[in-house]
Amino acid sequence: MNKELIINAAPTGVEIALLEDKKLVELHNEKTDANFAVGDLYLGKVKKLIPGLNAAFVDVGFEKDAFLHYTDLSPYARSIIKFTQIAMSDKGEQAFDFARFQSEPEIVKTGKINEVLNGKPHVLVQILKEPIAAKGPRLSCELSLPGRFVVVTPFNEIVAVSKKIHSSEERKRLHKIVEAIRPKNFGVIVRTAAEGKSTAELHQDMLSLVETWKNIQQNLKGAVAPVRIMSEETKTTSILRDLLSADFNRIVVNDKNLFQVTQSYIQRIAPDKTDIVSLYHNGLPIFDQFGVTKQVKSSFGKTVNLPSGAYLIIEHTEALHVVDVNSGYKSVSNNQEDNALETNLEAAEEIARQLRLRDIGGIIVVDFIDMKLPDNKRKVQEAMEQFMKADRAKHSVLPISKFGLLQITRQRMRPEVNINTAESCPACNGTGKITSTLLLEDEIEKKLHYLVSHSHKNLTIVVHPIVHSYLTKGLFSSIIKKWKKKHKVKLKAQANTNYHLTEFKFFDEREEEIKF
């Protein structure tokens, strides 16, 4: 599979399109003034404890207080609160040595929020979910700093290896390396991308994350809540960090500064892939050149058409998203069961792409075309799971129910991408109403009279073919003939199929349009 990243820098922000085999699968929009992105670290002030919800509302500077549930507190919540107080009051030139930090006892899983956050302290928190609709951000105290090969989790000593690394020998090797190189008070999760990497590469990644933690300590000195302590990397670099693989063969950027940032980041995390980054110079907009704009227009909206003639209807309700699969005029055989299976398999691939592209989260219910055979239902479910393997968001696919419904849950991290692809009608300018056709003849004659009074003697009127037929009907008694006689003017009518019904334009003898 060939992966391409097309990056469009605009004054309002950066748009990032991820293409897999030339097909648009992810679209990200990073605004220049974006705050409260997933992964950002904030110094928050606990405002309100809600024992009934076992949660707290924390002021992080957003218009609505952020939500922190007890289950997101992290077992090391007391250590984080203690660390926050020490770092804020630290007066030294250098950040204090984190390796000497004495951790507090872990909190119990079934505890109460007011036992931990009593006194409404300042606390270092991480954005778990961006603000969505009328809700503020959701927070976590389980702090993590992701790198290319490892994720560092302060305040514990646990080393874990990604379950996606299947070789037991490789898992043992990575565990042994990380255990030897990790600093005290830092837990480490080894990512899938670390498979086959050397000690030096892992160590370099670890050192850069430890340096980031030192910067966090520095930023906490004298900080006044609420304030942002550290931003997650830009969307471009975070996508590269998570997705960069041997399949990536091109990254195209249309901005010189962003090109240099991207190139230096690639140089740092994967020096052998520096040559895949290129700067786009062509005059055509970058998204038009690579077919992104056209795919956006065809992929968003209520109806999504499939190549075979089948189509999807995607609708959003307060509780969930609903996808309805319709066969359209698709028919591969005379067997109804085979037709249903073929259409459902094609729809499953497009639905998996749509979930990623629109970043749809929560509960999704898919109404597939009814199939009678249990084997076919199983095939569609397995295909859905296979197509969703490339999705980075956590998800779960349930078997097709007796009613032919397939239920999916997908992690909701940020607001859904929603692009309005409809355009205003050129005839009515989006009002749904046009000038009465009964008055069209009078309006044309009024404009003709105005032009004749301003010394125009040779005119051509261009109109819609239906109006042309109406104006020229009758050999001697046509409306055009009457106008020529009445206004003493040379006048001819022409039909243009591109004009809408009530559109008309006058041209002079030099065939130049006359503007009113």
Side-chain angles (χ1 to χ4, degrees):
M1 184 185 288
N2 286 326
K3 289 183 182 175
E4 298 170 288
L5 208 61
I6 313 299
I7 303 168
N8 177 33
T12 52
V14 179
E15 291 177 302
I16 303 158
L18 175 64
L19 307 181
E20 289 180 356
D21 292 333
K22 304 288 180 187
K23 210 168 187 182
L24 180 67
V25 291
E26 285 186 28
L27 191 65
H28 299 272
N29 195 340
E30 184 180 32
K31 291 183 177 162
T32 43
D33 58 348
N35 283 325
F36 309 102
V38 173
D40 283 1
L41 285 174
Y42 278 82
L43 175 62
K45 173 81 175 80
V46 177
K47 292 294 286 282
K48 205 173 188 182
L49 299 174
I50 314 289
L53 294 173
N54 207 15
F57 284 99
V58 182
D59 180 12
V60 289
F62 188 65
E63 57 197 57
K64 291 196 170 180
D65 288 339
F67 184 76
L68 175 63
H69 194 267
Y70 186 87
T71 52
D72 296 320
L73 268 184
S74 152
Y76 316 101
R78 288 197 175 96
S79 299
I80 293 168
I81 293 167
K82 178 183 172 184
F83 166 80
T84 307
Q85 308 308 322
I86 293 171
M88 285 172 68
S89 56
D90 185 22
K91 299 282 193 259
E93 282 289 316
Q94 298 292 319
F96 69 89
D97 187 0
F98 186 63
R100 294 182 183 176
F101 178 78
Q102 294 294 316
S103 295
E104 293 292 303
E106 293 183 20
I107 63 171
V108 292
K109 286 184 180 178
T110 54
K112 302 292 180 191
I113 194 87
N114 44 6
E115 293 170 3
V116 182
L117 297 181
N118 197 20
K120 299 180 180 177
H122 290 79
V123 62
L124 187 63
V125 289
Q126 194 160 28
I127 304 289
L128 195 61
K129 281 186 187 176
E130 292 179 11
I132 298 173
K135 298 175 182 174
R138 181 156 183 173
L139 306 176
S140 171
C141 284
E142 297 201 47
L143 310 181
S144 61
L145 305 177
R148 175 88 176 105
F149 305 123
V150 296
V151 178
V152 164
T153 56
F155 306 105
N156 69 70
E157 309 286 339
I158 299 166
V159 174
V161 181
S162 167
K163 290 176 184 173
K164 290 181 184 175
I165 299 175
H166 301 299
S167 164
S168 58
E169 287 299 313
E170 179 63 5
R171 290 171 67 85
K172 282 177 190 171
R173 181 187 79 88
L174 290 169
H175 196 286
K176 196 175 177 182
I177 290 170
V178 170
E179 196 62 76
I181 62 174
R182 72 169 184 85
K184 193 174 181 299
N185 279 335
F186 285 106
V188 179
I189 300 165
V190 182
R191 305 184 73 166
T192 315
E195 193 168 6
K197 298 300 175 188
S198 67
T199 307
E201 287 174 295
L202 296 174
H203 193 224
Q204 183 60 42
D205 201 29
M206 181 94 70
L207 287 175
S208 69
L209 294 174
V210 170
E211 195 57 41
T212 303
W213 183 251
K214 285 180 182 172
N215 290 337
I216 291 167
Q217 285 183 235
Q218 283 292 130
N219 294 343
L220 277 170
K221 278 186 189 177
V224 179
V227 66
R228 184 163 59 180
I229 297 299
M230 188 206 75
S231 284
E232 167 69 315
E233 293 170 312
T234 63
K235 282 253 173 75
T236 311
T237 50
S238 67
I239 288 170
L240 290 173
R241 182 192 69 210
D242 294 344
L243 292 181
L244 191 67
S245 63
D247 296 338
F248 255 97
N249 63 357
R250 184 156 62 164
I251 299 166
V252 189
V253 191
N254 68 345
D255 179 80
K256 200 170 184 181
N257 292 335
L258 200 54
F259 167 73
Q260 288 168 349
V261 169
T262 307
Q263 198 170 42
S264 64
Y265 184 76
I266 295 274
Q267 178 72 46
R268 185 158 61 83
I269 66 167
D272 54 318
K273 284 200 161 282
T274 317
D275 58 340
I276 68 172
V277 188
S278 61
L279 184 61
Y280 178 78
H281 290 295
N282 200 331
L284 203 64
I286 188 168
F287 273 11
D288 292 357
Q289 176 71 29
F290 291 95
V292 175
T293 307
K294 191 175 180 182
Q295 289 195 57
V296 167
K297 291 280 184 189
S298 64
S299 300
F300 285 86
K302 183 180 172 181
T303 305
V304 178
N305 294 306
L306 305 180
S308 66
Y311 61 95
L312 308 175
I313 303 287
I314 302 174
E315 292 192 292
H316 168 67
T317 70
E318 189 67 29
L320 44 77
H321 283 80
V322 184
V323 183
D324 186 29
V325 181
N326 294 290
S327 58
Y329 55 79
K330 178 186 171 77
S331 181
V332 290
S333 76
N334 294 327
N335 186 313
Q336 188 180 350
E337 186 75 9
D338 289 350
N339 280 340
L341 178 62
E342 283 294 316
T343 305
N344 287 341
L345 289 173
E346 183 189 19
E349 183 174 6
E350 182 59 27
I351 290 165
R353 171 176 169 258
Q354 286 288 333
L355 297 185
R356 282 177 75 187
L357 185 56
R358 301 182 186 216
D359 211 353
I360 294 173
I363 300 169
I364 302 109
V365 176
V366 184
D367 182 11
F368 281 111
I369 297 167
D370 287 345
M371 298 173 291
K372 292 185 174 69
L373 300 178
D375 276 0
N376 288 345
K377 289 183 179 182
R378 195 182 67 254
K379 279 179 188 172
V380 172
Q381 185 208 338
E382 287 171 356
M384 193 78 222
E385 287 171 348
Q386 187 62 36
F387 291 135
M388 288 192 72
K389 269 190 174 175
D391 197 339
R392 288 184 292 161
K394 289 177 187 170
H395 57 268
S396 174
V397 180
L398 296 183
I400 294 178
S401 71
K402 287 179 183 178
F403 298 130
L405 303 176
L406 179 134
Q407 297 166 75
I408 303 167
T409 60
R410 187 174 181 274
Q411 184 183 23
R412 182 184 285 154
M413 302 284 284
R414 49 185 66 86
E416 178 188 341
V417 178
N418 200 352
I419 297 173
N420 185 9
T421 57
E423 295 176 358
S424 291
C425 165
C428 68
N429 292 320
T431 62
K433 294 180 177 65
I434 58 170
T435 311
S436 170
T437 49
L438 292 171
L439 303 175
L440 184 62
E441 185 185 335
D442 293 345
E443 196 178 334
I444 294 172
E445 190 177 5
K446 198 187 293 180
K447 294 275 171 73
L448 176 63
H449 177 72
Y450 173 81
L451 292 175
V452 170
S453 66
H454 283 73
S455 306
H456 286 281
K457 296 295 179 189
N458 192 347
L459 296 166
T460 303
I461 180 171
V462 183
V463 290
H464 186 274
I466 293 174
V467 178
H468 179 266
S469 300
Y470 174 74
L471 294 176
T472 56
K473 185 177 69 175
L475 189 62
F476 299 109
S477 59
S478 70
I479 293 169
I480 287 288
K481 288 254 172 45
K482 285 178 184 174
W483 284 348
K484 283 164 77 172
K485 197 172 179 182
K486 182 179 176 182
H487 296 287
K488 298 180 177 57
V489 63
K490 281 186 181 178
L491 180 66
K492 61 180 178 183
Q494 286 181 3
N496 189 327
T497 53
N498 293 326
Y499 281 33
H500 57 78
L501 185 62
T502 59
E503 185 178 5
F504 64 90
K505 287 177 183 173
F506 282 98
F507 294 83
D508 61 19
E509 62 268 22
R510 294 190 299 276
E511 296 185 352
E512 291 178 0
E513 186 189 340
I514 300 169
K515 303 281 188 185
F516 287 93

mmCIF file of all heavy atoms in Angstrom, residues 302-323:
data_model
loop_
_atom_site.group_PDB
_atom_site.id
_atom_site.type_symbol
_atom_site.label_atom_id
_atom_site.label_comp_id
_atom_site.label_asym_id
_atom_site.label_seq_id
_atom_site.Cartn_x
_atom_site.Cartn_y
_atom_site.Cartn_z
ATOM 1 N N LYS A 302 -24.714 13.685 2.963
ATOM 2 C CA LYS A 302 -25.601 12.635 3.469
ATOM 3 C C LYS A 302 -25.497 11.353 2.643
ATOM 4 O O LYS A 302 -25.526 10.250 3.164
ATOM 5 C CB LYS A 302 -27.043 13.161 3.463
ATOM 6 C CG LYS A 302 -28.068 12.206 4.034
ATOM 7 C CD LYS A 302 -29.454 12.829 3.991
ATOM 8 C CE LYS A 302 -30.525 11.822 4.365
ATOM 9 N NZ LYS A 302 -31.868 12.396 4.311
ATOM 10 N N THR A 303 -25.373 11.483 1.319
ATOM 11 C CA THR A 303 -25.328 10.321 0.422
ATOM 12 C C THR A 303 -23.915 10.117 -0.103
ATOM 13 O O THR A 303 -23.271 11.069 -0.562
ATOM 14 C CB THR A 303 -26.291 10.530 -0.765
ATOM 15 O OG1 THR A 303 -27.598 10.818 -0.256
ATOM 16 C CG2 THR A 303 -26.369 9.296 -1.636
ATOM 17 N N VAL A 304 -23.440 8.876 -0.037
ATOM 18 C CA VAL A 304 -22.121 8.522 -0.573
ATOM 19 C C VAL A 304 -22.331 7.437 -1.629
ATOM 20 O O VAL A 304 -22.824 6.351 -1.328
ATOM 21 C CB VAL A 304 -21.172 8.003 0.531
ATOM 22 C CG1 VAL A 304 -19.826 7.597 -0.068
ATOM 23 C CG2 VAL A 304 -20.979 9.053 1.615
ATOM 24 N N ASN A 305 -21.975 7.739 -2.871
ATOM 25 C CA ASN A 305 -22.164 6.786 -3.968
ATOM 26 C C ASN A 305 -20.967 5.846 -4.086
ATOM 27 O O ASN A 305 -19.814 6.273 -3.937
ATOM 28 C CB ASN A 305 -22.365 7.533 -5.290
ATOM 29 C CG ASN A 305 -23.654 8.328 -5.293
ATOM 30 O OD1 ASN A 305 -24.718 7.798 -5.035
ATOM 31 N ND2 ASN A 305 -23.558 9.629 -5.556
ATOM 32 N N LEU A 306 -21.226 4.576 -4.363
ATOM 33 C CA LEU A 306 -20.184 3.570 -4.549
ATOM 34 C C LEU A 306 -20.017 3.304 -6.046
ATOM 35 O O LEU A 306 -20.963 3.490 -6.823
ATOM 36 C CB LEU A 306 -20.558 2.286 -3.810
ATOM 37 C CG LEU A 306 -20.860 2.438 -2.311
ATOM 38 C CD1 LEU A 306 -21.219 1.092 -1.695
ATOM 39 C CD2 LEU A 306 -19.670 3.026 -1.569
ATOM 40 N N PRO A 307 -18.837 2.844 -6.478
ATOM 41 C CA PRO A 307 -18.586 2.659 -7.918
ATOM 42 C C PRO A 307 -19.598 1.750 -8.615
ATOM 43 O O PRO A 307 -19.894 1.930 -9.790
ATOM 44 C CB PRO A 307 -17.181 2.024 -7.942
ATOM 45 C CG PRO A 307 -16.545 2.447 -6.664
ATOM 46 C CD PRO A 307 -17.649 2.547 -5.668
ATOM 47 N N SER A 308 -20.149 0.777 -7.903
ATOM 48 C CA SER A 308 -21.043 -0.206 -8.531
ATOM 49 C C SER A 308 -22.456 0.324 -8.771
ATOM 50 O O SER A 308 -23.246 -0.303 -9.441
ATOM 51 C CB SER A 308 -21.139 -1.432 -7.636
ATOM 52 O OG SER A 308 -21.790 -1.083 -6.433
ATOM 53 N N GLY A 309 -22.793 1.467 -8.178
ATOM 54 C CA GLY A 309 -24.158 1.974 -8.278
ATOM 55 C C GLY A 309 -24.892 1.909 -6.946
ATOM 56 O O GLY A 309 -25.930 2.542 -6.767
ATOM 57 N N ALA A 310 -24.364 1.108 -6.008
ATOM 58 C CA ALA A 310 -24.932 1.091 -4.654
ATOM 59 C C ALA A 310 -24.581 2.415 -3.969
ATOM 60 O O ALA A 310 -23.706 3.155 -4.430
ATOM 61 C CB ALA A 310 -24.367 -0.085 -3.874
ATOM 62 N N TYR A 311 -25.258 2.724 -2.860
ATOM 63 C CA TYR A 311 -24.953 3.981 -2.160
ATOM 64 C C TYR A 311 -25.260 3.855 -0.672
ATOM 65 O O TYR A 311 -26.002 2.981 -0.236
ATOM 66 C CB TYR A 311 -25.725 5.160 -2.767
ATOM 67 C CG TYR A 311 -27.240 5.046 -2.714
ATOM 68 C CD1 TYR A 311 -27.970 5.636 -1.681
ATOM 69 C CD2 TYR A 311 -27.938 4.349 -3.692
ATOM 70 C CE1 TYR A 311 -29.354 5.551 -1.628
ATOM 71 C CE2 TYR A 311 -29.328 4.246 -3.651
ATOM 72 C CZ TYR A 311 -30.026 4.848 -2.616
ATOM 73 O OH TYR A 311 -31.394 4.751 -2.561
ATOM 74 N N LEU A 312 -24.608 4.734 0.107
ATOM 75 C CA LEU A 312 -24.786 4.780 1.566
ATOM 76 C C LEU A 312 -25.526 6.060 1.939
ATOM 77 O O LEU A 312 -25.314 7.108 1.330
ATOM 78 C CB LEU A 312 -23.431 4.793 2.289
ATOM 79 C CG LEU A 312 -22.403 3.721 1.932
ATOM 80 C CD1 LEU A 312 -21.102 4.011 2.684
ATOM 81 C CD2 LEU A 312 -22.909 2.341 2.282
ATOM 82 N N ILE A 313 -26.374 5.973 2.959
ATOM 83 C CA ILE A 313 -26.979 7.158 3.564
ATOM 84 C C ILE A 313 -26.417 7.239 4.988
ATOM 85 O O ILE A 313 -26.580 6.309 5.779
ATOM 86 C CB ILE A 313 -28.520 7.059 3.628
ATOM 87 C CG1 ILE A 313 -29.119 6.834 2.237
ATOM 88 C CG2 ILE A 313 -29.117 8.299 4.288
ATOM 89 C CD1 ILE A 313 -29.104 8.026 1.326
ATOM 90 N N ILE A 314 -25.719 8.333 5.302
ATOM 91 C CA ILE A 314 -25.102 8.493 6.626
ATOM 92 C C ILE A 314 -25.814 9.630 7.349
ATOM 93 O O ILE A 314 -25.840 10.763 6.859
ATOM 94 C CB ILE A 314 -23.594 8.786 6.506
ATOM 95 C CG1 ILE A 314 -22.890 7.653 5.747
ATOM 96 C CG2 ILE A 314 -22.959 8.973 7.877
ATOM 97 C CD1 ILE A 314 -21.434 7.910 5.441
ATOM 98 N N GLU A 315 -26.391 9.308 8.515
ATOM 99 C CA GLU A 315 -27.123 10.326 9.281
ATOM 100 C C GLU A 315 -26.671 10.326 10.735
ATOM 101 O O GLU A 315 -26.337 9.279 11.294
ATOM 102 C CB GLU A 315 -28.625 10.095 9.184
ATOM 103 C CG GLU A 315 -29.170 10.340 7.782
ATOM 104 C CD GLU A 315 -30.688 10.387 7.740
ATOM 105 O OE1 GLU A 315 -31.316 9.344 7.960
ATOM 106 O OE2 GLU A 315 -31.229 11.483 7.489
ATOM 107 N N HIS A 316 -26.694 11.522 11.334
ATOM 108 C CA HIS A 316 -26.242 11.703 12.711
ATOM 109 C C HIS A 316 -27.441 12.036 13.589
ATOM 110 O O HIS A 316 -28.271 12.871 13.240
ATOM 111 C CB HIS A 316 -25.220 12.844 12.764
ATOM 112 C CG HIS A 316 -24.900 13.303 14.146
ATOM 113 N ND1 HIS A 316 -24.245 12.512 15.052
ATOM 114 C CD2 HIS A 316 -25.177 14.467 14.780
ATOM 115 C CE1 HIS A 316 -24.123 13.185 16.197
ATOM 116 N NE2 HIS A 316 -24.678 14.371 16.053
ATOM 117 N N THR A 317 -27.554 11.346 14.721
ATOM 118 C CA THR A 317 -28.556 11.708 15.725
ATOM 119 C C THR A 317 -27.821 12.053 17.020
ATOM 120 O O THR A 317 -26.602 11.895 17.100
ATOM 121 C CB THR A 317 -29.534 10.538 15.994
ATOM 122 O OG1 THR A 317 -28.822 9.500 16.679
ATOM 123 C CG2 THR A 317 -30.122 9.981 14.710
ATOM 124 N N GLU A 318 -28.543 12.482 18.012
ATOM 125 C CA GLU A 318 -27.916 12.856 19.286
ATOM 126 C C GLU A 318 -27.211 11.658 19.918
ATOM 127 O O GLU A 318 -26.145 11.793 20.520
ATOM 128 C CB GLU A 318 -28.996 13.401 20.234
ATOM 129 C CG GLU A 318 -28.441 14.032 21.510
ATOM 130 C CD GLU A 318 -27.643 15.305 21.270
ATOM 131 O OE1 GLU A 318 -27.926 16.027 20.295
ATOM 132 O OE2 GLU A 318 -26.714 15.569 22.056
ATOM 133 N N ALA A 319 -27.817 10.468 19.786
ATOM 134 C CA ALA A 319 -27.295 9.285 20.490
ATOM 135 C C ALA A 319 -26.282 8.497 19.671
ATOM 136 O O ALA A 319 -25.358 7.906 20.231
ATOM 137 C CB ALA A 319 -28.456 8.360 20.870
ATOM 138 N N LEU A 320 -26.444 8.472 18.339
ATOM 139 C CA LEU A 320 -25.577 7.606 17.529
ATOM 140 C C LEU A 320 -25.585 8.049 16.063
ATOM 141 O O LEU A 320 -26.315 8.948 15.671
ATOM 142 C CB LEU A 320 -26.036 6.140 17.636
ATOM 143 C CG LEU A 320 -27.532 5.817 17.543
ATOM 144 C CD1 LEU A 320 -28.031 5.863 16.117
ATOM 145 C CD2 LEU A 320 -27.805 4.438 18.141
ATOM 146 N N HIS A 321 -24.733 7.379 15.274
ATOM 147 C CA HIS A 321 -24.721 7.581 13.827
ATOM 148 C C HIS A 321 -25.360 6.358 13.167
ATOM 149 O O HIS A 321 -25.156 5.234 13.619
ATOM 150 C CB HIS A 321 -23.290 7.726 13.303
ATOM 151 C CG HIS A 321 -22.687 9.071 13.577
ATOM 152 N ND1 HIS A 321 -22.154 9.402 14.804
ATOM 153 C CD2 HIS A 321 -22.545 10.166 12.792
ATOM 154 C CE1 HIS A 321 -21.704 10.635 14.761
ATOM 155 N NE2 HIS A 321 -21.929 11.126 13.552
ATOM 156 N N VAL A 322 -26.114 6.590 12.103
ATOM 157 C CA VAL A 322 -26.778 5.498 11.392
ATOM 158 C C VAL A 322 -26.297 5.484 9.949
ATOM 159 O O VAL A 322 -26.234 6.535 9.298
ATOM 160 C CB VAL A 322 -28.314 5.685 11.414
ATOM 161 C CG1 VAL A 322 -29.005 4.501 10.762
ATOM 162 C CG2 VAL A 322 -28.811 5.858 12.840
ATOM 163 N N VAL A 323 -25.944 4.285 9.464
ATOM 164 C CA VAL A 323 -25.534 4.116 8.064
ATOM 165 C C VAL A 323 -26.478 3.112 7.419
ATOM 166 O O VAL A 323 -26.619 1.988 7.904
ATOM 167 C CB VAL A 323 -24.072 3.619 7.948
ATOM 168 C CG1 VAL A 323 -23.663 3.530 6.486
ATOM 169 C CG2 VAL A 323 -23.118 4.512 8.724
#
